[in-house]
Amino acid sequence: MIRTLVVEDDFRVAELHRDYTERVPGFTVVGTATTGAEALALAATLSPDLLLLDIHLPDISGIEVIRSLRQRGQAADVIAITAAKEVETLRAAMQGGVVHYLVKPFRFAAFGERLRTYATARERLSRLSEADQREVDRLFALLRSGAAEELPKGLAPATLDLVVRALRSAGSAISAEDVATAAGLSRVTARRYLDHLAQKGQVELRMRYGGPGRPEHRYQLIAG
């Protein structure tokens, strides 16, 4: 289980985030903090794996919370909750120190997808051996930066990376369902990322005919 600390100054929103988190398989909430000072104290005693951290707190900012955690050597990951207009400021301030951004406002579907993306990337990172140091560095940089490129609203860089890896591993044209299974995503989510890659010219879309009904879309990563 991924032990999560919810940090949110509005107790009603904090309870909502707790409920959202515990609805996602593999996550459990070990505590809730309403101030930055309380978050640091609980992080020290509970040693959570992940902080679900609102950037706007009544005493110190979420950025200062993250910096304090890093300065004292705590390795907890962070999903920062912030407004869209503040994302670039947050990235610059943290210099790659945040795992993901969750942009307000959001519904459970977006929340759940972000947590599942984080969990999948975290699991893959834990399975890499020392011989895979280049891959470790690449995945770590992707997770920490929160974005390898500017993506359309609703698309996350770590999820995009999982889709690209699934296509690369296949070596030939595969369906959206195959990609979804390999990447640990829903078919609808996989299809959104595949369509984005196709629009950018990074994926070739092919049609497979054969059985009755509509032809099947199949996708292949374009070498380059």
Side-chain angles (χ1 to χ4, degrees):
M1 298 292 281
I2 297 175
R3 304 173 70 257
T4 306
L5 175 63
V6 174
V7 184
E8 165 61 55
D9 65 320
D10 186 323
F11 74 91
R12 291 165 298 187
V13 176
E15 285 303 306
L16 179 63
H17 290 175
R18 171 189 283 272
D19 176 64
Y20 275 6
T21 301
E22 296 195 327
R23 287 167 60 185
V24 180
F27 288 81
T28 184
V29 175
V30 296
T32 302
T34 57
T35 67
E38 188 179 6
L40 291 171
L42 288 177
T45 58
L46 298 175
S47 298
D49 302 309
L50 172 69
L51 268 69
L52 188 62
L53 176 65
D54 189 7
I55 292 302
H56 295 287
L57 298 171
D59 52 349
I60 59 176
S61 73
I63 292 175
E64 291 304 317
V65 170
I66 298 168
R67 285 175 175 161
S68 295
L69 290 173
R70 301 296 182 251
Q71 287 171 1
R72 64 193 197 189
Q74 287 193 258
D77 293 320
V78 175
I79 294 179
I81 299 175
T82 188
K85 64 182 181 180
E86 298 169 333
V87 168
E88 289 303 324
T89 300
L90 180 57
R91 286 178 186 162
M94 291 314 305
Q95 298 179 349
V98 175
V99 172
H100 274 308
Y101 305 95
L102 194 54
V103 177
K104 298 184 289 187
F106 51 81
R107 296 180 181 273
F108 175 71
F111 183 97
E113 180 179 340
R114 186 54 51 92
L115 262 63
R116 287 190 295 271
T117 298
Y118 161 73
T120 300
R122 185 174 186 269
E123 179 184 7
R124 293 193 176 196
L125 184 60
S126 70
R127 293 203 305 261
L128 293 173
S129 66
E130 292 183 6
D132 300 310
Q133 186 59 50
R134 181 178 296 178
E135 177 68 6
V136 170
D137 292 342
R138 187 193 62 77
L139 184 55
F140 187 79
L142 175 66
L143 290 173
R144 292 296 183 188
S145 67
E149 60 173 306
E150 291 301 320
L151 295 175
K153 185 177 180 180
L155 299 189
T159 306
L160 181 66
D161 184 61
L162 295 177
V163 170
V164 170
R165 286 163 60 94
L167 289 165
R168 184 177 293 119
S169 297
S172 60
I174 58 175
S175 67
E177 185 173 355
D178 292 332
V179 172
T181 299
L185 305 170
S186 70
R187 185 181 182 281
V188 172
T189 297
R191 181 65 182 269
R192 285 168 47 211
Y193 285 86
L194 289 167
D195 288 346
H196 168 71
L197 290 168
Q199 290 172 6
K200 292 193 65 179
Q202 296 176 358
V203 162
E204 181 182 358
L205 174 60
R206 301 177 179 178
M207 308 296 286
R208 187 173 76 172
Y209 299 86
R214 300 174 64 181
E216 181 182 45
H217 291 191
R218 298 181 72 82
Y219 303 83
Q220 182 167 8
L221 195 63
I222 296 174

